[in-house]
Amino acid sequence: MRRITLLSAAVVLALASACAGAQESRLPDIGSSAGELLTPRRQREYGSMMLAQLRHYDYTLDDPLIASWLDTLGTRLAANSDKPQQPFTFFMLRERQINAFATLGGYVGMNSGLVLAAEHEDEVAAVLSHEIAHVTQQHVLRGVERAQRDQLPILLAMLGAVVAAQAAGGNSADDAVQAAVVGAQGLMVQRQIDYTRSNESEADRIGIQTLARSHYDTAAMAGFFGTLNARSRANRAGYYGETPSYLMTHPVTTTRISEAKSLAEQIARAPAGFNADIASDNPLLPGGLKIGSAAAGGGTGQFDYARERLRVLSADSPADAIREYERLAKAKALTDAQRYGLAVAKLRANQGTAAATTLAELLDKHPGDLWLTLALGEAESRAGKADAADARFEALLKSMPQNRPAALTYARVLAERNSPAAGKRAQAILRPLLGQSSEDPEFQQVFARASEIAGDPVRAGEAYAEAAYLNGRAEQALVQLNTLKRRPDLDYYARARIDARIAAITPTVLELKRQGIRDEDLERR
């Protein structure tokens, strides 16, 4: 766990250092050379490569329900930001340290620990809106503009170096990881110092406006930052084990908290439908008119379930998660969301019957809830009630066709049965989502397994290669595709698809090799 925390710190340090550079004032978009240094497409490529490397070493938490909740929340905030046309990708990390960060291309990561520390969804939204503002205000890009052209690849190179040190194992790996972090700090120290008041103040101000447009509590940002600051002080007094990592890259002062509170109060006092700090860009309206956004907003209604699911999925083991709920139950009776979390932990511990009993009770109390329905279907299948599980899943898909969490959960359940009929049904369920799942490694993995047991080796091979690529194994994906290409039974269309993917993946493999990042599994062969 210590090595994981250090790696997370190293990655966040590198990303935060790239965010330095606009501390003096907000620079205009026109005339900046940053766009020439890194085009929007190149920024997305670097962000995608970083995410793939994090997936490769299992630092991300890829779960369809969590991903759907986070994407719904993040997309709503992004749509209400001052640059709604900016593309964003939101992802969750397993780490229980309290942290979040934004990097090139609109990639925004959040640690599970931050959600576990939050009391309400508004607090999570506040952090996300702050990170979104770092992107829309080009804090990341302008930091790169001030750096030399070869400094940006350090983001990937340092990640590779730290993980390589981890692979060595033992105390020497800990020392090597620590050395990598110290080296990064030495390289970036001045930029880290610069990443202070102006950027953070601007991200707070723009983020609070985004919260207001999205109909979240604008006071949540100051409130949550205040909580983290208090925890930091308690840590120095010995009450907590460690300082929240978020405060290391996002310094919080009492002045900053007061300013955030003041702005939140100012927005709260504004007349309904108007906001003094949100300007209209409609050329048909008077230039001085400032109005609120008409975009939809408000909570997702899924935060409590999401937090408890994250509690289970971020635990070291299902048994550890169960023990955590037992400790919570000693303090006070578990809420319905916590009972759901305990049932999910039992389900993952292969206690399907016990999980099904609790989930059935909860579903009677909250009929039609998607999270409960999916968990109950899984539990019934694990408890040997395949017919009941199938009936539940089929009814759910009929009411919400092409729902990603429902389709993936049912397909996984079917794939566990390891029969051609189950594989073909899973293929049929997933096929309508193929077009929108080109960057979804979990989908590709499940579709690959479904195709494999359905007796469709070509589609299985393509999907396994795609999953490998999206999980940071670009070199391995290239090997798999070249092997697949030699099959004598390929038709024209399959061969064309494979050739196209080989052409698309090859530049990424070459770039990773240039950065010294190699697939260790292939090198051992």
Side-chain angles (χ1 to χ4, degrees), residues 164-383:
Q166 280 190 298
N171 293 332
S172 62
D174 281 342
D175 294 340
V177 171
Q178 183 65 51
V181 174
V182 171
Q185 288 174 334
L187 180 66
M188 305 292 193
V189 62
Q190 186 58 50
R191 297 194 173 283
Q192 185 67 13
I193 292 171
D194 287 342
Y195 187 55
T196 54
R197 292 184 181 178
S198 184
N199 282 353
E200 290 299 277
S201 178
E202 183 173 46
D204 288 349
R205 177 172 57 81
I206 300 298
I208 290 172
Q209 292 171 2
T210 298
L211 286 177
R213 294 170 181 164
S214 304
H215 306 299
Y216 279 104
D217 182 6
T218 54
M221 184 176 293
F224 192 57
F225 287 172
T227 299
L228 296 186
N229 207 30
R231 179 173 292 198
S232 178
R233 290 196 300 271
N235 170 65
R236 290 193 291 270
Y239 294 109
Y240 286 94
E242 50 192 15
T243 299
S245 297
Y246 195 77
L247 299 186
M248 299 178 185
T249 53
H250 299 74
V252 173
T253 64
T254 54
T255 299
R256 180 180 166 195
I257 294 172
S258 296
E259 289 174 351
K261 284 182 178 178
S262 177
L263 179 57
E265 291 170 357
Q266 176 185 339
I267 292 175
R269 289 194 301 268
F274 284 81
N275 187 320
D277 285 316
I278 302 176
S280 169
D281 58 2
N282 188 334
L284 300 180
L285 294 176
L289 184 61
K290 317 244 181 173
I291 61 175
S293 170
T300 63
Q302 299 171 343
F303 170 73
D304 290 337
Y305 285 148
R307 181 175 57 184
E308 298 312 316
R309 190 171 182 86
L310 278 173
R311 191 185 306 279
V312 176
L313 299 182
S314 65
D316 289 338
S317 70
D320 286 336
I322 291 172
R323 284 191 288 271
E324 189 171 346
Y325 280 111
E326 289 172 348
R327 290 192 295 270
L328 291 172
K330 289 179 180 178
K332 59 180 178 180
L334 297 180
T335 65
D336 285 351
Q338 289 172 330
R339 292 181 65 204
Y340 161 78
L342 178 57
V344 172
K346 289 180 177 179
L347 177 58
R348 291 173 62 82
N350 296 318
Q351 300 176 25
T353 300
T357 300
T358 300
L359 290 165
E361 293 173 358
L362 290 171
L363 193 57
D364 285 341
K365 189 175 179 181
H366 306 280
D369 184 89
L370 175 64
W371 295 57
L372 296 174
T373 302
L374 292 180
L376 181 55
E378 282 188 90
E380 288 173 332
S381 183
R382 299 273 177 85

Side-chain angles (χ1 to χ4, degrees), residues 45-58:
E45 288 174 356
Y46 271 109
S48 177
M49 291 168 71
M50 173 64 78
L51 177 55
Q53 289 297 304
L54 289 171
R55 283 174 174 156
H56 173 37
Y57 295 104
D58 200 30

